[in-house]
Amino acid sequence: MITALVLYDLPPHIDREACRQHFLKIAPDFLGVPGFIRKQFIHDVNGGVAGGSYIWENLAAAKAFYTGPWVEGIRARYGCEPRVTYFETFAIADQATGYAGPPSGLAVGARERERVG
């Protein structure tokens, strides 16, 4: 499992509320992306920077996403290059589900709940 931290500078005309509205609008678009698990849409509390913390099944899926149309969209909307950093995810603690342990256990648990739920 890979965690990708993506940050980009916001142009002056995109304030907190405009950023929030855009994120709410595009959030559903991520649900069909191959290898995608979760994203937290983030905005710096001091303004000027936004992005996301993404969880991916693997590095190949993450890198495939951050090319082509996605990066072109970031460049067009924000006028800058995104900063993408990849991290191996060794463990997860999730208050909402009560799960704490290796990421594979979380993914298997979620899929199992979908089948029986």
Side-chain angles (χ1 to χ4, degrees):
M1 184 175 285
I2 295 294
T3 299
L5 182 58
V6 177
L7 298 172
Y8 41 82
D9 299 320
L10 295 173
H13 69 277
I14 299 179
D15 63 10
R16 179 187 180 280
E17 184 57 23
C19 184
R20 188 179 79 79
Q21 288 298 322
H22 180 69
F23 283 171
L24 290 170
K25 177 183 170 188
I26 66 170
D29 298 342
F30 288 85
L31 298 179
V33 174
F36 173 81
I37 297 173
R38 177 179 297 124
K39 178 181 180 181
Q40 288 75 236
F41 294 81
I42 59 177
H43 180 271
D44 189 309
V45 296
N46 296 311
V49 177
S53 173
Y54 297 72
I55 305 292
W56 294 95
E57 290 178 0
N58 55 58
L59 185 59
K63 286 189 172 187
F65 180 75
Y66 300 123
T67 58
W70 179 85
V71 75
E72 293 304 322
I74 295 296
R75 289 173 182 150
R77 181 168 176 77
Y78 303 110
C80 68
E81 290 296 314
R83 300 178 297 281
V84 181
T85 307
Y86 301 99
F87 301 89
E88 282 187 80
T89 306
F90 292 151
I92 291 180
D94 187 330
Q95 186 72 35
T97 63
Y99 178 81
S104 59
L106 180 64
V108 169
R111 289 187 192 111
E112 182 64 23
R113 282 190 298 279
E114 287 174 4
R115 271 196 321 216
V116 286

